[in-house]
Amino acid sequence: MRKSVLFVLAVAVVLLAGFGAAAQDETVLVIGHTEQTDFYDPANGFTGTTSMVRRATYDTLVTFPDEDASEILPSLATSWSVSDDGLSYNFTLDDTPRFNNGDSVTAEDVAFSLLRLKYVNGNPSFLADNIDSAVANEDGTVTVTLSSVRPTFVTELANTAFSITNADVVRANGGTDSMDAAEMDGAAEYLNQNSAGTGPYQLESWAPQDETVLVRNPHFVGEAPYFDRILIVNIPEAATQKAALESGQIDIATDLTPDQIVELEGNADINIWSGPGQWNHFLIMNADPEIGGPVSDPKVWLAVRLAIDYEGFLELWPGSTTPGTVMNIFLAGAFQADRALSRDLDRSRALLAEAGYPDGFDIDLKYPDWNAFGVDMNINAQKIQADLAEAGINVNLAPGEFGVALEEYRLGNAGFGYWLWGPDINDPVDVLAFVPGGKVATERLRFTEERAPAEILELRDAVKKESDPVRRAELFEQIQLWLQESGNFAPFLYPPTQTALRSGINGYNWHPQWVMDVALISRDEM
Amino acid sequence: MPLQVFFLRRLLLTIPLLIGITLFSFIIANAVPSDPVSANIPQNAFDNEEIIAAFRAKWGLDKPPHEQYLTYLGNLLRGDLGVSIKTSKPVLEDIRQFLPATVELAGFAILIGMALGIGTGIVSAVWRNSIADYLTRGYVVIGVSFPIFVLALIGLNVLHVQWGIVAGPGRLDFIIRDPPAVTGLFMVDAAIAGQWDKFANAFSHIILPAFVLGSFVAGIIARITRSSMLEVLGMDYIRTARSHGLRERRVVIRHALSNAMIPIVTVIGLSTANLMTGAVLIESIFAWPGIGRYAFRAATSQDFPAIMGVSILIASIYVMVNFLVDILYYFLDPRIRVA
């Protein structure tokens, strides 16, 4: 009996001693990440992890700088021109890049990729709605014709959904760019497990909700990336990501909470990357009196904005900033914290009285019971409740399951609520979702064009057509001023993006379009 | 009743049960006041009628519920569980991917739970009201009531991060490639391939989550073992055995334990089924790519095919475990054979 116990103990010790044994000859980067992937197929996927993987495995016609989305740079297209009517774009292609099977990129590949995105009716296909035709010209250029003027078209092409795929390979695996692609295209399965692009890496495998593996693209033209292999490991629990990072099992943890970041600050083995995030947190107020009740009154909208203790939110979430408006702070021309509203309880109470609520009112605040990328929405809702109580508004918290709350919001049935927004298009035009006629203002919150003053509708129409950058910036400034004074949103918090890295990891940069570019990351040699 | 008849009767009873489960899961999944469209399509695409229509048509959501259900049943009979909305892979393939991780973990956990639970339960019954008994009873209360995720996080932070004596999250160190797939159980596959370093690595990864899960189960098993043993130890035939001068160990193991086994086997069976299907928290904390985590993700993203597939799987596991327990009863208790 005693001997067998000793034997078991001995085996256990041997096993535990051996757990660190397996050495690797290749350079491997391990990213601990909460996987958000619908598809890796460029025409079907539209989530964070998808963008990150597509950035590594494909190229787009144009792109953004490594750090931000401040300007448009050439990528597969070396130059482009727009016709006078603003409807037709001609792209000249770079002839050096090679797909991961060695093929060169042709105008035919470009036209195929754009049309397949449009017709497959996948999650990102709305981006290609406006494309009327994409034609490969005999001189090797591509002409894209739009059905209506869209000054943001080239900016949108930097979205990784517009990744250029190898048409022959995709066709050989069931892909099509024909108008019935929604029914006939069957390439998603192949493109979820393989890539057919020109990026520095290629997709080796994807076990959904478990692990994504990238390896070098053998035909990549350009500076070779540092790592041979990239592992993106799904670790949904932030506490687990932190433990795995501290023990060195992973090199990068993307989803730690602000508290965990603070805990790691003294750790010499870990560096924190901190920068502006992507998500704007705001209150929504329904413009339909039957749904919004008291919060359908424009005077109340401003009263609510003036009742929020913005400074208090910054203390609650270290590293955060106060958004100037609902326009995301990293978009060109967006109001930063210095132009944000400040708390003014006296004016807030006066506005409430003017609106006919001298003693305030009772209202439900509807929001998802959700941890939004490290920020617990419940905590913010409680602070909103306390802040508005000081102005006399008695808020009753009504959190709901995410899907249920989203459905109510989506159908325009939420009166007073709390949501967040990250831009789909990295262009200031994204803010038009929040002005009357826009997706959020009108469809979610019933601020219809009939209810809106003519002034904002004119501004909106003008900016949609404007392509002169200076004039455009002026118009967006006026729109933001209008939103601060008359919009039916109360933005109150813009949390930072914070990523924890093992020390020795260099080149990391959070990006609003593709989360991170793994090809830029390297490790100090030991 | 002969074993064959007993076996057949149990088997036939499972068919209506499984059909009932599919219907029940279908109704529940449809009753949720939220739409798979909002869970799976980006907000900006909500307004694009064509994208929404293509999504509904692709997943059969454009058909009336009864038609969806009948189509599902028809496919099910052909062994087709549909395609998951979230992973865009056949649900059966997903289950094949995620189930082995759970089976390996639950198997280890139940072994630990049985060893700890039955051992301490016997000690505490035999030496009733001794220090060992009090310690066991204290352990049972803590084991059952202590939040399992707290234990998991403490284990991860102390044993893995601080002391480095066990490996961290995942089934293997992330940089180590999986052993060649045969059973999907990494330790078994590594042993088959003779990759003993991977075997050791997998063992060091499974030991902590298995212990955390096992300690919870051990509490329940210890409690049942103790009370069942106490009851049996008070029986006349135990007194008779002792009066015949048998050694105490033989009295306890051969005469008492084997007669106390029925409730213990029941609890072990239920716990096994529970571990196989309900280890969501532990799987999340240890980044363990198992079926619990898959089920949770399916539920939160309204992934109907996956929800249905997992429900059927869970129901089948319970049915199978109950079936095995019944068969064990048959061997453990001669009275059942006669009844």
Side-chain angles (χ1 to χ4, degrees):
Chain A
M1 174 79 179
R2 216 164 280 158
K3 271 185 195 159
S4 60
V5 170
L6 279 177
F7 175 75
V8 169
L9 279 177
V11 169
V13 167
V14 168
L15 287 175
L16 287 175
F19 81 80
Q24 304 276 321
D25 314 330
E26 49 184 10
T27 48
V28 184
L29 177 72
V30 187
I31 301 167
H33 178 71
T34 303
E35 181 182 298
Q36 301 163 322
T37 309
D38 42 3
F39 295 85
Y40 283 135
D41 173 6
N44 277 296
F46 195 64
T47 51
T49 318
T50 303
S51 294
M52 179 161 96
V53 168
R54 285 195 303 224
R55 171 66 178 175
T57 50
Y58 294 91
D59 285 304
T60 41
L61 284 175
V62 298
T63 190
F64 293 123
D66 292 338
E67 305 76 38
D68 53 32
S70 59
E71 58 176 321
I72 302 294
L73 302 173
S75 182
L76 287 180
T78 51
S79 62
W80 55 92
S81 58
V82 193
S83 64
D84 291 340
D85 61 3
L87 287 174
S88 188
Y89 290 74
N90 193 58
F91 295 91
T92 306
L93 302 182
D94 183 357
D95 57 7
T96 51
R98 292 285 177 275
F99 284 115
N100 55 338
N101 67 350
D103 291 353
S104 44
V105 181
T106 64
E108 157 67 9
D109 294 314
V110 174
F112 173 83
S113 303
L114 302 190
L115 292 178
R116 180 167 177 264
L117 172 64
K118 177 181 169 74
Y119 291 124
V120 87
N121 275 340
N123 287 342
S125 294
F126 68 92
L127 290 168
D129 266 356
N130 208 28
I131 295 179
D132 203 39
S133 69
V135 179
N137 302 317
E138 278 181 14
D139 63 356
T141 62
V142 182
T143 303
V144 181
T145 310
L146 304 183
S147 51
S148 59
V149 176
R150 185 135 148 171
T152 57
F153 176 64
V154 178
T155 314
E156 289 171 55
L157 286 179
N159 191 305
T160 60
F162 284 104
S163 290
I164 303 306
T165 52
N166 186 328
D168 292 341
V169 171
V170 176
R171 279 207 180 95
N173 288 284
T176 174
D177 62 349
S178 63
M179 286 172 81
D180 56 359
E183 291 85 43
M184 302 312 290
D185 185 277
E189 203 176 323
Y190 175 81
L191 291 170
N192 277 340
Q193 293 296 329
N194 307 272
S195 53
T198 49
Y201 288 97
Q202 58 185 357
L203 180 60
E204 185 183 78
S205 65
W206 175 38
Q209 295 172 42
D210 183 12
E211 187 180 62
T212 303
V213 183
L214 308 180
V215 294
R216 289 178 190 277
N217 167 2
H219 298 281
F220 177 63
V221 178
E223 197 184 332
Y226 176 85
F227 287 102
D228 296 320
R229 254 172 120 69
I230 307 285
L231 305 181
I232 304 164
V233 186
N234 183 28
I235 307 182
E237 271 305 311
T240 312
Q241 277 189 24
K242 178 169 171 273
L245 183 75
E246 287 177 295
S247 67
Q249 265 215 61
I250 58 174
D251 298 305
I252 299 178
T254 59
D255 306 278
L256 302 192
T257 64
D259 314 351
Q260 290 169 332
I261 294 284
V262 171
E263 285 169 31
L264 286 174
E265 268 165 4
N267 190 331
D269 294 328
I270 288 163
N271 292 329
I272 305 295
W273 186 95
S274 193
Q278 187 168 23
W279 301 100
N280 208 340
H281 292 238
F282 50 80
L283 300 178
I284 53 165
M285 294 170 272
N286 202 305
D288 184 338
E290 288 195 6
I291 299 168
V295 297
S296 61
D297 186 322
K299 290 200 177 80
V300 174
W301 297 343
L302 183 55
V304 166
R305 281 193 285 276
L306 294 171
I308 296 172
D309 169 25
Y310 299 100
E311 297 284 321
F313 274 107
L314 300 186
E315 282 167 30
L316 200 56
W317 302 106
S320 298
T321 184
T322 303
T325 67
V326 269
M327 181 160 158
N328 230 277
I329 63 167
F330 63 72
L331 297 176
F335 285 10
Q336 304 295 311
D338 58 340
R339 296 193 71 176
L341 291 177
S342 317
R343 192 177 207 199
D344 186 344
L345 278 174
D346 291 336
R347 198 170 157 222
S348 174
R349 290 192 197 102
L351 281 162
L352 286 175
E354 270 179 52
Y357 306 103
D359 303 320
F361 53 83
D362 292 354
I363 190 135
D364 285 352
L365 179 68
K366 300 197 171 176
Y367 61 96
D369 179 3
W370 192 46
N371 188 317
F373 315 99
V375 175
D376 186 344
M377 292 177 72
N378 285 293
I379 294 176
N380 287 340
Q382 284 158 18
K383 175 146 179 63
I384 289 292
Q385 184 182 40
D387 289 358
L388 298 194
E390 289 184 56
I393 301 173
N394 182 24
V395 175
N396 173 37
L397 301 185
E401 190 274 323
F402 186 90
V404 177
L406 179 63
E407 185 76 351
E408 190 180 30
Y409 170 48
R410 190 167 82 81
L411 295 174
N413 295 331
F416 186 47
Y418 162 25
W419 281 93
L420 56 158
W421 179 267
D424 292 310
I425 302 166
N426 285 308
D427 185 279
V429 79
D430 188 74
V431 77
L432 296 185
F434 297 89
V435 304
K439 183 186 312 295
V440 189
T442 299
E443 286 164 32
R444 314 272 182 272
L445 300 168
R446 320 234 173 181
F447 197 176
T448 54
E449 295 185 1
E450 294 75 48
R451 289 193 170 109
E455 154 205 11
I456 185 64
L457 300 180
E458 283 161 18
L459 280 171
R460 177 199 67 186
D461 294 341
V463 86
K464 272 187 181 170
K465 282 180 280 188
E466 189 57 64
S467 50
D468 173 52
V470 178
R471 179 69 193 130
R472 234 176 147 232
E474 283 169 10
L475 289 168
F476 278 120
E477 178 170 18
Q478 288 176 45
I479 288 174
Q480 290 182 86
L481 287 170
W482 182 88
L483 280 167
Q484 281 190 335
E485 196 62 27
S486 314
N488 55 337
F489 301 89
F492 59 88
L493 177 70
Y494 198 95
T497 293
Q498 289 173 311
T499 307
L501 321 155
R502 291 294 295 183
S503 54
I505 294 290
N506 303 307
Y508 172 86
N509 188 75
W510 179 84
H511 197 279
Q513 182 69 63
W514 47 73
V515 186
M516 73 177 89
D517 187 339
V518 293
L520 299 175
I521 300 175
S522 63
R523 193 200 315 270
D524 287 344
E525 301 292 344
M526 300 294 177
Chain B
M1 191 191 325
L3 182 62
Q4 291 90 329
V5 176
F6 179 80
F7 189 87
L8 247 167
R9 208 167 76 172
R10 291 279 156 184
L11 203 65
L12 284 175
L13 275 175
T14 59
I15 295 171
L17 193 63
L18 283 176
I19 293 178
I21 290 288
T22 60
L23 184 62
F24 189 70
S25 324
F26 187 82
I27 292 171
I28 293 276
N30 269 285
V32 180
S34 127
D35 189 338
V37 168
S38 40
N40 293 287
I41 292 223
Q43 276 215 48
N44 249 326
F46 284 171
D47 314 310
N48 188 315
E49 295 298 330
E50 282 171 12
I51 293 178
I52 301 281
F55 179 84
R56 289 196 187 280
K58 183 168 177 193
W59 301 107
L61 301 167
D62 53 346
K63 307 218 169 65
H66 65 274
E67 204 173 308
Q68 286 180 39
Y69 178 67
L70 289 177
T71 311
Y72 186 84
L73 268 192
N75 291 341
L76 185 64
L77 287 177
R78 289 194 299 274
D80 178 3
L81 289 175
V83 174
S84 155
I85 298 179
K86 210 68 210 173
T87 67
S88 46
K89 278 168 55 181
V91 172
L92 204 59
E93 209 174 293
D94 280 347
I95 289 176
R96 238 179 255 140
Q97 180 196 331
F98 291 105
L99 189 61
T102 301
V103 169
E104 195 169 33
L105 179 59
F108 239 84
I110 203 73
L111 285 180
I112 293 174
M114 275 164 59
L116 269 175
I118 297 179
T120 51
I122 292 174
V123 167
S124 127
V126 171
W127 288 284
R128 190 179 178 185
N129 293 331
S130 67
I131 293 193
D133 185 22
Y134 288 128
L135 283 176
T136 303
R137 280 152 73 182
Y139 166 73
V140 167
V141 172
I142 295 171
V144 173
S145 59
F146 200 73
I148 197 164
F149 68 93
V150 176
L151 194 62
L153 286 174
I154 292 174
L156 198 56
N157 280 302
V158 175
L159 300 179
H160 171 59
V161 177
Q162 304 290 334
W163 298 350
I165 54 173
V166 294
R171 298 178 74 188
L172 284 173
D173 284 3
F174 295 125
I175 56 166
I176 297 180
R177 297 186 197 194
D178 298 354
V182 180
T183 60
L185 309 174
F186 279 6
M187 288 177 64
V188 176
D189 289 352
I192 291 173
Q195 298 175 330
W196 297 105
D197 53 341
K198 283 187 190 172
F199 180 85
N201 194 276
F203 177 77
S204 74
H205 274 269
I206 204 169
I207 193 74
L208 182 59
F211 189 83
V212 171
L213 275 176
S215 67
F216 173 74
V217 174
I220 302 172
I221 296 178
R223 201 191 164 108
I224 296 292
T225 306
R226 181 179 181 275
S227 63
S228 177
M229 281 293 282
L230 279 177
E231 197 186 320
V232 172
L233 283 170
M235 293 284 178
D236 288 347
Y237 59 83
I238 297 294
R239 203 176 47 202
T240 309
R242 281 191 178 129
S243 67
H244 279 212
L246 291 183
R247 289 175 63 186
E248 186 61 16
R249 186 191 292 173
R250 189 170 164 80
V251 172
V252 171
I253 304 288
R254 179 74 190 83
H255 292 271
L257 183 62
S258 62
N259 281 300
M261 272 318 268
I262 289 259
I264 301 176
V265 164
T266 311
V267 162
I268 291 174
L270 280 177
S271 303
T272 309
N274 227 332
L275 285 180
M276 298 270 279
T277 57
V280 181
L281 267 178
I282 293 301
E283 287 183 0
S284 291
I285 290 173
F286 288 96
W288 200 265
I291 204 79
R293 219 172 69 168
Y294 177 71
F296 178 74
R297 188 63 196 253
T300 50
S301 56
Q302 299 257 311
D303 185 346
F304 283 130
I307 294 173
M308 297 289 288
V310 170
S311 304
I312 291 168
L313 174 75
I314 290 176
S316 310
I317 289 174
Y318 269 93
V319 167
M320 211 167 65
V321 168
N322 271 323
F323 184 66
L324 284 176
V325 167
D326 282 350
I327 302 279
L328 271 177
Y329 284 171
Y330 187 89
F331 288 106
L332 281 173
D333 193 339
R335 285 168 295 184
I336 291 174
R337 274 172 259 172
V338 180

